[in-house]
Amino acid sequence: MPGAVPALLWRAVLTAGLVCAIGLLPWLSHTDPALTVLRARSAERAPTPGTLHAIRDRLGLDEGPWTLLVRWLDGLLHGDAGRSWVSDTEVLPAVIQSLGASLLLMAGAVLVAVPTAGAVCARTLGLGSRRRLGGRRPGGSGSAVLASLPEFLVATVLASVVGVQLGWLPALGWYGPQWMVLPALALGLPAGAVLGRMLDDLLPAAFAEPWAPAAAARGTPPASIARQALRRCVPGLLPNLGLFVVGLTGGSVAVEQIFDIPGLGRLNLRAALAQDIPVLQTGTLVLLALAALTTGLTRCGMRWLIGPALRDGALHSLHRPAPPAPRAVPLLYGLLLTAVITLGLSRAPLTLDTAARLQAPSASHPFGTDALGRDVLARVAHGALTTLGTALAVSAAALLTGVLLGLLPRLSGPLVDTVNAVPPVLVALLVTGVAGSGPSTPALAAAAVAWAPLAAHTSALLRQERATLHLTATRALGAGPWYLLRHELLPAVLPPVVRHALLRLPGVALSLAALGFLGLGAQPPSPEWGRLLAENQPYVERAPWAVLAPATALALLGALAVTAAGGVRLPRRRRAKPTAGIRPAVHEPAQQPLLADSP
């Protein structure tokens, strides 16, 4: 297969570079690995010089990182991943056991995400299959809010309400199928909402293709038309579904922590914080192998669904056929969010009042108070400036990087898999080790991974757009690559990718918060929204308002971003006589309507 060998070599280079970076982590972070290991083993034990020397001698730290890396690779070739620096147990059995738990949890989350995505786009499927879609805007506010909810907040609510208060399902442990239900819901509901929004965004264009009215005119049942529309749109989402699979396997750290699940994400988190290099290298390598396998399966799925059409250039563009009608819903969300911020800016976010701890909402404190008696409305409003500003900057950088790399799929494909397989906390630690700890470190760490799903989405849409009939006709008329990129490909690919980026805006804000929770981002008493969620989470049963207030603000942000993004559309230029990038010899009257009528 052309290009397979260079892609394989590029993937091997990226894997080797990542493994080497993990091996250098203690030295990059300018910390004493012996001291970190000692604290992970026993926080009470005094770090005497003799104790630290014994740890260095047993682990071979004085030999340097490259000697340790070569020794680990040599053992790996013989089926031995070494022993844990912290627990002194064999690494490979522990990683395999954790991988089994994470794969089972991921499978449960996918089983929840698929029907959730179906529920999000069910109305569009029903209306489109009956030719009643008209100019309806895809999606609704409910799915936007669900997509913007943080997984750890959903997990906390399910564990405390369904597991503890109602007692319907176990909320702690990992001992059987019933223990899998709540964590699978916590992971699958937001992921399904994101995938459903992306699918709902493509369906109107699929129903506008010529085959849909022709099938309806021949009396094809609406259910069959809906299935064909799904088959037309799903290939564009398969790469992102693959990213979700890998991300849910290795990145569901918060949910695994809340429900006490011995998964791979939790194992990698502990190894990264304790600088347990053999465990971290092995766990990351397993995720990279899973990412490569998932990528191969998604490509096979795309070929199975639309392979002949991709080969023959027989597709129609999924560019939205008509601009959506403007609505007042985004304006309403924007006014509500602005009102909350305006009302809280006049209040003091750092004033302590221990006599008013965890007070319910009242006239003096409309959003109640937190565990230190601070006004929650004031903290939400003052934290909005930092949260929104940083999240917007990171999202813009991720969008630009994702689109540029998505236009080069052979370069970005293995890079996307590698970045998506790296645990977020490890990215933060590597960024901290290279750039140092500072106010820009969380933004750099979030931007380092936020572009990957956007690049995968861009590449998938670009591949289908290049196989469209109108692009084949335009190319046959002599259109050059730059003309096709500017006037045909980008107007079709950019709008859904921009809407996808806006859909992930609340998630970017939460990733910044998660770094603060781990001590790598915003620190107390910062009123950053994610910081508010993290510090008030232990009091969710006694004072739910302290968590609901920032969560509601985050949901409003998500609803505003998604509903406002519904109108993102780049107009295509229609020209009777193309000039840029087209050879003059093709200006024949008989051929002009082909280019002029290209959608």
Side-chain angles (χ1 to χ4, degrees), residues 149-167 169 171 182-183 185-186 189 255 258-259 533 537 540-541 544-545 547-548 551:
L149 289 179
E151 294 173 351
F152 73 85
L153 179 60
V154 178
T156 301
V157 172
L158 290 175
S160 60
V161 176
V162 180
V164 177
Q165 295 183 4
L166 298 178
L169 291 167
L182 293 183
L185 287 173
L189 289 175
V255 174
I258 291 172
F259 290 101
L533 287 170
Q537 182 185 352
V540 66
E541 294 186 22
W545 52 84
V547 174
L548 289 178

Side-chain angles (χ1 to χ4, degrees), residues 335-379:
L335 289 176
L336 286 175
L337 192 57
T338 303
V340 169
I341 296 174
T342 304
L343 290 175
L345 285 178
S346 59
R347 298 170 176 264
L350 303 179
T351 302
L352 303 179
D353 186 3
T354 54
R357 296 176 64 253
L358 301 177
Q359 284 191 355
S362 61
S364 57
H365 301 288
F367 285 1
T369 61
D370 63 7
L372 298 178
R374 296 172 296 191
D375 187 80
V376 175
L377 175 59
R379 294 183 62 74

Side-chain angles (χ1 to χ4, degrees), residues 466-488:
R466 282 175 172 167
T468 55
L469 289 169
H470 76 88
L471 200 72
T472 304
T474 308
R475 189 185 295 113
L477 289 174
W482 285 109
Y483 180 90
L484 294 174
L485 180 66
R486 290 175 54 198
H487 299 280
E488 301 295 340

Side-chain angles (χ1 to χ4, degrees), residues 389-454:
T390 308
L392 284 173
V394 171
S395 298
L399 175 62
L400 180 61
T401 306
V403 170
L404 291 178
L405 290 178
L407 296 176
L408 305 170
R410 291 185 180 178
L411 172 67
S412 64
L415 188 58
V416 166
D417 295 340
T418 303
V419 169
N420 186 66
V422 180
V425 64
L426 177 57
V427 176
L429 290 174
L430 289 174
V431 171
T432 303
V434 174
S437 181
S440 62
T441 300
L444 291 175
V449 297
W451 61 270
L454 303 178

Side-chain angles (χ1 to χ4, degrees), residues 110-166:
V110 171
L111 290 177
V112 174
V114 170
T116 302
V120 170
C121 61
R123 185 164 180 259
T124 302
L125 278 173
L127 294 176
S129 61
R130 292 172 174 80
R131 310 300 301 162
R132 300 176 184 174
L133 195 57
R136 175 185 172 271
R137 287 177 77 165
S141 303
S143 60
V145 171
L146 182 59
S148 64
L149 289 179
E151 294 173 351
F152 73 85
L153 179 60
V154 178
T156 301
V157 172
L158 290 175
S160 60
V161 176
V162 180
V164 177
Q165 295 183 4
L166 298 178

